[in-house]
Amino acid sequence: MRFLNTSLYDQRKKKIQKKTPEQREAEFMWRVFDLVPRRKRSLRVHQKHPDYSKVPRRTRTPSTYTKTPPKWIIRVMKDMKILDDDDPKLIIEKALDLNDFDPLQNRLSIPFESLITKDFLNCDESRIIGDEGINNDGKIGVGAILVDQRTEQWNVVLKKCVVNNDSAGTSLESYVLGGEWSNIVKANGLRDDDNIGLWCFRGSGILFLALDFAGDAVDLLE
């Protein structure tokens, strides 16, 4: 007859009894997970926006712009499945100045006197921006999505700015486009005196802006 070593048996039994049901279930699950093959981690490094500031560029004067929408904007609208009876509208074409590059100001100036299309806002948006009782401190604006030629989308805010010249008794009105404008400038490698065209279209009631610039840092297929 074989005798059982009761001391070892009692020690092992005590260890089993000390474990809670949750602990035993956790041990079981870990044994199951050990049978699952591990996925190898990708070594691919995420690419940052390339620096376009040193790339030779083509130049084009604003006079070469037409009211015919660039093909890339039409392509973006089709990709977004935006079916609108109205074609994209050209809001403004201008040469960027140093103020448009100031990160502290973080805005694109759109003077009223340079507007090509003045009725690109709907009634509610015009009331929000144009009502001096609401927007006299310049803190309220209209949200929009800007699409650049690389189809990147950016959150921007359109506001109204009024600069009074007391000595001359005149005032200069303009829209200012803020939000992620400084990031847009950096990502697209825009420079001082670059000629840009700002277009607009709508999708599901949302105001979209499209930035088309003449001094392309990279050749873009249309």
Side-chain angles (χ1 to χ4, degrees):
M1 185 175 180
R2 190 176 181 180
F3 294 95
L4 180 65
N5 188 335
T6 56
S7 61
L8 293 176
Y9 172 77
D10 291 338
Q11 292 177 7
R12 189 173 299 175
K13 185 177 179 181
K14 288 180 181 179
K15 289 182 179 180
I16 296 174
Q17 289 177 345
K18 286 182 180 179
K19 293 182 180 179
T20 63
E22 291 79 7
Q23 290 175 329
R24 289 196 292 271
E25 182 179 359
E27 280 188 1
F28 173 76
M29 293 304 296
W30 277 114
R31 289 197 297 270
V32 173
F33 290 144
D34 285 339
L35 300 176
V36 179
R38 297 294 190 270
R39 184 180 65 181
K40 294 183 179 180
R41 181 171 296 179
S42 173
L43 299 178
R44 185 177 61 181
V45 179
H46 293 286
Q47 295 182 351
K48 297 181 180 180
H49 286 294
D51 183 8
Y52 295 117
S53 60
K54 298 179 181 180
V55 179
R57 317 176 68 142
R58 302 192 308 268
T59 57
R60 188 169 73 195
T61 60
S63 60
T64 60
Y65 278 101
T66 66
K67 291 189 177 182
T68 302
K71 294 180 180 179
W72 72 267
I73 297 179
I74 302 299
R75 186 172 62 249
V76 166
M77 295 177 65
K78 290 182 179 179
D79 292 342
M80 297 174 65
K81 297 181 180 180
I82 294 178
L83 303 177
D84 199 332
D85 295 335
D86 296 330
D87 291 331
K89 299 177 181 178
L90 178 60
I91 298 176
I92 190 175
E93 53 186 30
K94 62 169 289 186
L96 299 177
D97 57 41
L98 292 177
N99 290 325
D100 295 323
F101 289 90
D102 187 352
L104 296 179
Q105 298 187 48
N106 184 31
R107 93 291 181 277
L108 170 68
S109 176
I110 308 173
F112 279 14
E113 61 185 15
S114 301
L115 288 175
I116 297 174
T117 301
K118 299 182 179 181
D119 58 348
F120 64 94
L121 298 175
N122 61 30
C123 295
D124 292 335
E125 294 165 347
S126 298
R127 185 166 63 251
I128 291 173
I129 289 184
D131 192 338
E132 297 298 332
I134 296 177
N135 197 33
N136 54 5
D137 56 358
K139 293 183 179 179
I140 300 178
V142 173
I145 298 176
L146 186 143
V147 184
D148 62 22
Q149 289 180 239
R150 293 160 185 83
T151 68
E152 292 282 345
Q153 296 187 9
W154 310 84
N155 294 318
V156 292
V157 179
L158 188 69
K159 299 180 180 180
K160 181 179 179 181
C161 178
V162 180
V163 178
N164 294 316
N165 188 343
D166 296 333
S167 60
T170 59
S171 61
L172 177 63
E173 294 183 325
S174 64
Y175 292 121
V176 289
L177 190 67
E180 294 186 285
W181 172 249
S182 291
N183 294 333
I184 296 169
V185 170
K186 183 177 180 180
N188 287 275
L190 297 177
R191 302 174 184 173
D192 184 24
D193 286 335
D194 274 351
N195 299 309
I196 61 104
L198 189 66
W199 297 74
C200 70
F201 58 92
R202 290 187 179 273
S204 302
I206 300 174
L207 176 63
F208 286 88
L209 302 175
L211 180 66
D212 182 58
F213 52 94
D216 293 340
V218 174
D219 290 335
L220 300 169
L221 296 178
E222 292 188 344

